[in-house]
């Protein structure tokens, strides 16, 4: 069970899924079910659905996020979305550096760092994703990868600037594969991440920061993952697209 210093967060990452009508329907179900949630609940939806979902979630405690942003405020950046636009459309959060973006769209620790600065400036809660590939795990590079991604992505800030930041540990080999990290593997990595954050930003910061686990989280495995002392929540892809499974994950039980 997570420390009382940290409020658990279950965040759905809808990725590139759902039409407007489907988004509104799922958002309604999440809103209607949030009273039974065990912690804070968020949905990170496609850009095209943000405004409509914001309308649905108005007045509820469900937080709304984008799945990426650009670091400039405005201008000739065809296809990009700024943090100000996310806020304007109704977001309070944004996912940064998801492994799919790192792999397919060239996000790097350096660009994640710039996006993080823009997100914090706009008052958004950033969910910064880190995680090793299967090859990196098998060649004993996991800790080095996590250390590099954290140091690079979070560099140049004071602890107070980062008070809103959420980290998501998402082993790439577990994303969308049905191969979840075991609770022990997740705990080991989360403890390492917290240790790195302590080195970078001090003990108080490390104790307060939420570290989510992501990678094939389901209604069936959420409880054992959430029972780990350093797992403060989950970033949920596939299982966040179905009302029943996401509502069950929101209502995780650790006892
Ligand atoms: P998954 O995705 O739950 O479908 O594995 C998690 C994520 O990529 O955030």
């Amino acid at each position: 069970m997570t420390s009382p210093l940290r409020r658990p967060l279950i965040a759905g990452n809808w990725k590139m899924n759902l039409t407007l009508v489907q988004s509104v329907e799922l958002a309604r179900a999440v809103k209607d079910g949030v009273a039974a949630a065990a912690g804070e609940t968020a949905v990170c939806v496609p850009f095209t659905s943000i405004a409509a979902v914001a309308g649905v979630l108005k007045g509820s405690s469900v937080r709304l996020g984008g799945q990426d942003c650009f670091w400039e405020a405005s201008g000739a950046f065809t296809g990009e979305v700024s943090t100000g636009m996310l806020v304007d459309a109704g977001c309070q959060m944004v996912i940064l550096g998801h492994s799919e973006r790192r792999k397919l769209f060239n996000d790097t620790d350096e660009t994640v760092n710039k996006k993080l600065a823009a997100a914090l400036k706009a008052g958004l809660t950033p969910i910064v994703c880190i995680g090793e590939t299967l090859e990196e795990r098998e060649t004993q590079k996991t800790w080095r990868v996590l250390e590099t991604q954290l140091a690079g992505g979070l560099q140049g800030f004071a602890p107070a600037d980062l008070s809103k930041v959420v980290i998501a540990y998402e082993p790439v080999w577990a994303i969308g594969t049905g191969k979840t990290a075991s609770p022990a593997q997740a705990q080991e990595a989360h403890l390492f991440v917290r240790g790195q954050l302590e080195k970078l930003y001090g003990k108080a910061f490390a104790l307060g920061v939420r570290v989510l686990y992501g990678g094939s989280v389901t209604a069936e495995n959420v409880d054992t993952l959430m029972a780990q002392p350093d797992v403060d929540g989950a970033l949920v892809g596939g299982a966040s697209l179905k009302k029943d499974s996401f509502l069950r994950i929101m209502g995780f039980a650790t006892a």
Side-chain angles (χ1 to χ4, degrees):
M1 187 59 181
T2 182
S3 154
L5 290 171
R6 305 185 292 269
R7 180 154 186 238
L9 169 63
I10 302 293
N13 173 10
W14 293 1
K15 306 192 180 183
M16 196 175 75
N17 292 295
L18 307 185
T19 62
L20 264 181
V21 169
Q22 291 167 333
S23 295
V24 163
E25 194 183 324
L26 183 55
R28 251 190 217 122
V30 173
K31 180 184 180 178
D32 290 346
V34 75
E40 193 176 13
T41 302
V43 288
C44 299
V45 312
F47 292 140
T48 48
S49 291
I50 290 172
V53 169
V56 173
L57 297 180
K58 205 163 187 210
S60 94
S61 63
V62 181
R63 309 280 88 192
L64 176 58
Q67 300 171 9
D68 186 34
C69 65
F70 191 51
W71 55 82
E72 296 288 351
S74 65
F77 304 104
T78 302
E80 293 298 316
V81 171
S82 72
T83 53
M85 289 169 168
L86 290 180
V87 171
D88 184 48
C91 286
Q92 301 88 32
M93 293 188 166
V94 64
I95 296 174
L96 299 178
H98 190 281
S99 65
E100 286 150 16
R101 296 216 58 87
R102 290 180 190 260
K103 181 163 178 239
L104 301 170
F105 305 103
N106 301 322
D107 271 13
T108 62
D109 295 332
E110 199 185 346
T111 60
V112 169
N113 188 250
K114 287 184 178 183
K115 291 176 181 190
L116 177 60
L120 292 170
K121 198 168 165 209
L124 289 164
T125 294
I127 303 178
V128 178
C129 302
I130 58 171
E132 80 287 0
T133 62
L134 185 59
E135 197 205 331
E136 287 161 347
R137 176 161 281 260
E138 285 175 343
T139 52
Q140 280 71 51
K141 293 195 188 107
T142 298
W143 306 138
R144 204 191 312 159
V145 168
L146 298 182
E147 185 182 354
T148 305
Q149 289 180 339
L150 280 173
L154 302 186
Q155 78 172 341
F157 298 98
D161 299 334
L162 296 175
S163 59
K164 283 187 162 192
V165 166
V166 176
I167 305 294
Y169 168 63
E170 299 207 299
V172 179
W173 48 271
I175 296 177
T177 59
K179 268 194 231 154
T180 318
S182 69
Q185 280 174 323
Q187 170 58 25
E188 184 187 30
H190 283 225
L191 194 61
F192 176 83
V193 166
R194 209 176 296 289
Q196 289 301 306
L197 292 171
E198 182 173 341
K199 274 193 207 160
L200 291 167
Y201 290 110
K203 198 172 180 83
F205 176 79
L207 285 176
V209 70
R210 292 185 288 186
V211 184
L212 314 185
Y213 168 78
S216 298
V217 173
T218 63
E220 289 73 37
N221 63 28
V222 66
D223 294 350
T224 49
L225 287 162
M226 289 303 295
Q228 303 304 309
D230 287 285
V231 177
D232 309 315
L235 186 54
V236 186
S240 74
L241 294 172
K242 298 226 168 64
K243 170 181 107 173
D244 292 345
S245 55
F246 194 59
L247 291 181
R248 173 62 184 83
I249 292 168
M250 286 160 59
F252 68 86
T254 52

